[in-house]
């Protein structure tokens, strides 16, 4: 009787331990899936832009334009305080807006969409003393789907290759 009681207690303890282990493994797997989903969402929200001061060229990754809904027009905006740059989608440009039409043919090639704008590069250079003439720079930004824009923090501005 005492032996059977010990065996049943041992079995119950073993089952309880297995249940806790399985529960911990399930919780750990769930946390890993949540972290992976957050990382995927974070990666989806990342954007990259390159600025070539020598050629007055702005390169925007096409994946970003696709995530913004393949706009017909985009507007390049510079924060007057020199802290951020934005690419905003525009459906119907107003006469006073400085917009760039997004050519569907040019969206089909390579990985970036190029815009040439001396005015934009000059304005950005005047607000950002770290930008030198004749260099290529990269910036990281964040896509804001609700506003249909991507915002790039100028503190992420780095010379290409560094």
């Amino acid at each position: 009787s005492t032996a059977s009681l010990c065996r049943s207690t041992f079995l119950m303890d073993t089952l309880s331990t297995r249940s806790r282990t399985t529960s911990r493994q399930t919780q750990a797997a769930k946390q890993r899936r949540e972290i992976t989903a957050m990382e995927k969402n974070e990666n989806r929200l990342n954007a990259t832009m390159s600025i070539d001061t020598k050629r007055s060229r702005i390169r925007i990754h096409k994946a970003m334009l696709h995530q913004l809904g393949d706009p017909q027009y985009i507007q390049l905006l510079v924060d007057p305080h020199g802290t951020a740059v934005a690419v905003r989608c525009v459906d119907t440009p107003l006469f006073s807006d400085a917009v760039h039409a997004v050519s569907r043919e040019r969206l089909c090639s390579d990985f970036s969409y190029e815009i040439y704008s001396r005015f934009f590069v000059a304005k950005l250079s005047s607000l950002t003393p770290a930008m030198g003439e004749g260099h290529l720079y990269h910036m990281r930004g964040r896509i804001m789907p609700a506003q249909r824009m991507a915002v790039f923090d100028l503190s992420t501005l780095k010379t290409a290759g560094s």
Side-chain angles (χ1 to χ4, degrees):
S1 163
T2 309
S4 67
L5 180 63
C6 288
R7 271 190 239 125
S8 66
T9 304
F10 174 75
L11 287 173
M12 286 174 40
D13 286 344
T14 304
L15 289 174
S16 176
T17 303
R18 284 183 186 163
S19 174
R20 280 187 297 221
T21 303
T22 304
S23 177
R24 282 190 208 122
Q25 289 171 343
T26 304
Q27 287 175 343
K30 183 179 177 183
Q31 286 176 336
R32 282 193 301 273
R33 284 192 304 270
E34 287 173 356
I35 290 170
T36 303
M38 286 174 24
E39 287 173 348
K40 285 181 182 177
N41 189 40
E42 188 65 29
N43 288 340
R44 183 183 67 83
L45 296 177
N46 284 338
T48 306
M49 180 191 296
S50 300
I51 298 179
D52 183 348
T53 57
K54 183 176 183 178
R55 294 188 176 98
S56 298
R57 177 176 53 197
I58 300 103
R59 280 191 177 149
I60 300 168
H61 283 249
K62 288 183 193 175
M64 181 187 85
L65 291 175
H66 294 312
Q67 289 174 3
L68 290 172
D70 294 320
Q72 290 183 351
Y73 302 93
I74 57 173
Q75 189 174 31
L76 301 172
L77 305 169
V78 179
D79 176 19
H81 303 292
T83 59
V85 171
V87 175
R88 184 172 72 111
C89 297
V90 179
D91 293 323
T92 308
L94 299 174
F95 180 71
S96 61
D97 288 344
V99 298
H100 301 273
V102 178
S103 168
R104 297 286 171 233
E105 294 81 33
R106 288 181 28 205
L107 268 177
C108 297
S109 62
D110 297 331
F111 294 107
S112 62
Y113 188 79
E114 295 181 350
I115 298 171
Y116 292 87
S117 174
R118 283 192 182 122
F119 177 77
F120 178 79
V121 173
K123 182 69 173 172
L124 189 58
S125 294
S126 71
L127 292 172
T128 312
M131 287 183 73
E133 185 79 24
H135 294 285
L136 178 64
Y137 297 92
H138 296 293
M139 284 188 288
R140 303 281 311 187
R142 195 160 175 77
I143 295 174
M144 302 168 62
Q147 290 82 12
R148 294 188 65 213
M149 70 179 351
V151 178
F152 299 87
D153 186 350
L154 287 176
S155 67
T156 66
L157 186 72
K158 294 195 179 2
T159 306
S162 64

